[in-house]
Amino acid sequence: MTLQDILMPDCTFCAISGSSKKRVLDKICTVAANKIVEHSAYELLESLIAREKLGSTGIGNGIAIPHGRLPNAKSVVAVIVTTDIPVNFDAIDNKPVDIFIALFVPEDACKEHLTTLQSIAKLFSDKHIAKQVRKCQSNEALFNLIQENSH
């Protein structure tokens, strides 16, 4: 499954104000909670924080892929957010992050989850894509850019 398969326009946000890692994750979880009725925004945040405790999901070059597994969830939900200014995220290269691609997956969908993470990492390993994402001025432009760049 690719990001293009699961990303919805109402889960795409461009240049939000995010002053900290927790604030950005809070925003992501608030958005995702509208799609995942089985879980509250707080439960979604707990799943992301539990994963971050295992090691940062900041993959470098200003990009993070926070993700959490959810018991009783029915489908995969993706949320993409860019921030107006990069925030400290304890990324592997110690650089702040301004592109967040969050995934919430059913606990029993491990194989699909790994495939989706790989496709996201591959898409964003293209520095040209990341540069274009940072230039987006609207949620719609960001969503369309992701859809046009499926691998």
Side-chain angles (χ1 to χ4, degrees), residues 5-145:
D5 296 330
I6 54 177
L7 185 65
M8 298 291 144
D10 58 349
C11 290
T12 308
F13 292 88
C14 185
I16 67 163
S17 61
S19 55
S20 71
K21 180 178 185 173
K22 184 169 184 321
R23 285 228 171 99
V24 173
L25 294 178
D26 275 339
K27 169 69 174 173
I28 288 168
C29 292
T30 300
V31 170
N34 291 323
K35 297 284 184 193
I36 306 169
V37 296
E38 306 89 358
H39 294 278
S40 68
Y42 177 78
E43 290 170 321
L44 299 178
L45 182 60
E46 290 287 298
S47 76
L48 294 183
I49 290 172
R51 173 56 189 84
E52 290 299 319
K53 286 180 180 173
L54 299 175
S56 177
T57 57
I59 62 170
N61 298 317
I63 299 163
I65 310 174
H67 51 281
R69 292 189 188 166
L70 304 171
N72 307 318
K74 308 254 185 296
S75 61
V76 176
V77 171
V79 177
I80 185 167
V81 168
T82 62
T83 55
D84 53 358
I85 56 168
V87 298
N88 184 11
F89 203 82
D90 303 317
I92 59 170
D93 61 359
N94 292 317
K95 292 182 179 165
V97 172
D98 60 350
I99 299 173
F100 300 83
I101 310 98
L103 278 183
F104 299 93
V105 298
E107 208 167 44
D108 57 358
C110 194
K111 189 175 180 185
E112 297 90 336
H113 173 59
L114 291 175
T115 304
T116 305
L117 282 173
Q118 287 172 333
S119 79
I120 292 169
K122 182 179 178 192
L123 176 66
F124 282 90
S125 67
D126 181 340
K127 287 186 166 72
H128 178 70
I129 298 288
K131 191 180 279 190
Q132 285 184 293
V133 164
R134 290 184 173 102
K135 287 181 180 177
C136 287
Q137 299 291 311
S138 71
N139 299 349
E140 183 181 12
L142 179 56
F143 177 78
N144 290 337
L145 175 67

